[in-house]
Amino acid sequence: MADTALALPGRNRRRVRVTASAVIVAAVLLAVLLVPPLAQLDQQAVDLSNKLRPPSWAHPFGTDDVGRDLLLRCVYGLRVSLLVGLVAALTATVVGTAVGALAAAFGGWTDRVVMRLVDTFSSVPHLLLGIFIVAMFRPGVWPVIVSVALTHWLSTARIVRSEVLSLRSRPFVDAAVSGGASRFRVIARHLLPGVLPQAGLAAVLMVPHAMWHESALSFLGLGLPAHQASLGNLVQSARGSLLAGDWWPTLFPGLFLIIPTLALAGLAGAWRDRINPRRKSELML
C-alpha cells in the first residue's frame, strides 16, 4: 500500500511531462505545416525602415537586423532544422540497424571487424567529423543530412547488435535454423522484428540530437547557406544584435531550438519506459 502511494506522485508527474511534451510537439508540427502557407508576409522580405523592432502586436517576436519578421523566420528555421533532423535520424537508424544486425547475426570475424570500425569512428568527436564531411561539399541541406547521418549511426549499431545477440539464443531462432531457414531469412523474419522497438526509440532520440548538430554546423558557417532560414543561422546572425542590447533576435530562435528538442526527448523517454517496464517501475519507486 505504501509502495503504491509513493508511486502515484511519480506517475502523475510523468503523465504531466508526457502530456506537455505531446502538446508541444503537436503545436510545432501544426506551426511548421500551416503557418508558412497561411502567412501573408514573405519571410525573406527586407524592410530596412523596420529593422530591429522589439516584439509588438504586428511582430510578436520582433524583427531582425534587416526588418524581416522574426516569428516567421523562426517557423521557417524550425521547419528546416526539423526536416534535417528527421531525415538524418531515419537514415542513421536504417544504417545502424543494418550494420548492428548483420554483425551480431554473422558473428566471428564479421562482428569483430564491424565493431572495431564502430569503435574507430566513435573515437572521433561527432562535430569534428561532421565538419570534415561538410567541408568537402558546398553548403546545403543534403551535405548536412549526410554529415549527421554518417556520424550518428554508431550508437544505434551498438544497441541493435546487443539486442540481436540476446535474441539469437532464443529457442524460436534455434527452431528456425534447425528447420533449414537461411541466415538472411532468420535475420529478416525473427531478429529484425525483435529490435524494431529499440531502433525506433533510437531514431526518436536522435532527432533532437541531429537538430542540435545541424544548428551547430550552421552557427559555425559550415551548414546551410547564410541566406536560408535555419535556427543555427538565425542565432549566428543575431550575435551582433545581442552585443548591441537587442535580445529578441537571439532569444526566440534559441527557444525554438530548445523547447521542441526537450519535448521530443520527453516523448522518447515515455516510449523507452513502455518498452522497458522494469526501468519504469524502478523510476516510480
Side-chain angles (χ1 to χ4, degrees):
M1 200 62 185
D3 291 343
T4 304
L6 289 173
L8 284 176
R11 187 179 292 121
N12 291 334
R13 286 195 299 269
R14 284 171 40 77
R15 187 179 295 113
V16 170
R17 287 198 298 267
V18 171
T19 303
S21 298
V23 170
I24 292 172
V25 171
V28 166
L29 292 176
L30 286 175
V32 299
L33 291 174
L34 298 179
V35 171
L38 295 177
Q40 299 298 318
L41 298 173
D42 182 0
Q43 58 100 9
Q44 293 284 12
V46 174
D47 183 7
L48 295 179
S49 64
N50 206 30
K51 67 177 184 178
L52 290 177
R53 299 281 181 162
S56 63
W57 286 111
H59 302 283
F61 286 5
T63 60
D64 63 7
D65 56 348
V66 292
R68 292 173 296 194
D69 183 76
L70 197 56
L71 172 58
L72 199 56
R73 294 279 289 170
C74 287
V75 173
Y76 270 91
L78 180 59
R79 172 189 265 189
V80 172
S81 298
L82 190 59
L83 172 66
V84 171
L86 286 172
V87 176
L90 289 175
T91 305
T93 301
V94 170
V95 173
T97 301
V99 171
L102 291 175
F106 281 86
W109 66 267
T110 302
D111 187 26
R112 290 193 293 271
V113 169
V114 169
M115 295 317 295
R116 294 298 78 76
L117 180 65
V118 170
D119 291 339
T120 301
F121 276 101
S122 298
S123 65
V124 182
H126 286 175
L127 186 59
L128 182 61
L129 186 58
I131 290 173
F132 174 76
I133 294 172
V134 297
M136 297 187 295
F137 304 95
R138 298 179 60 184
V141 172
W142 287 109
V144 174
I145 290 175
V146 171
S147 167
V148 176
L150 290 181
T151 55
H152 287 70
W153 62 272
L154 307 170
S155 58
T156 304
R158 284 199 177 98
I159 293 171
V160 171
R161 174 182 176 271
S162 176
E163 289 294 319
V164 171
L165 287 176
S166 175
L167 291 172
R168 200 174 62 176
S169 59
R170 300 290 178 85
F172 64 87
V173 175
D174 293 336
V177 173
S178 301
S182 66
R183 186 167 295 179
F184 286 103
R185 183 176 177 84
V186 170
I187 294 173
R189 294 291 300 273
H190 301 285
L191 297 180
L192 280 181
V195 302
L196 285 181
Q198 295 289 347
L201 174 60
V204 176
L205 285 170
M206 206 180 301
V207 171
H209 193 185
M211 291 175 63
W212 278 95
H213 199 95
E214 177 275 322
S215 297
L217 290 174
S218 297
F219 182 82
L220 294 173
L222 298 170
L224 275 63
H227 69 274
Q228 187 168 4
S230 78
L231 296 178
N233 280 341
L234 292 179
V235 174
Q236 196 278 337
S237 63
R239 289 186 302 168
S241 302
L242 182 63
L243 294 176
D246 300 320
W247 49 269
W248 56 93
T250 303
L251 175 65
F252 291 114
L255 291 178
F256 264 60
L257 178 62
I258 293 171
I259 294 175
T261 52
L262 289 178
L264 285 170
L267 289 181
W271 187 354
R272 178 185 56 204
D273 295 339
R274 285 184 65 86
I275 65 177
N276 192 352
R278 179 179 178 182
R279 183 180 184 278
K280 181 178 179 181
S281 63
E282 291 173 354
L283 288 175
M284 287 181 179
L285 295 176

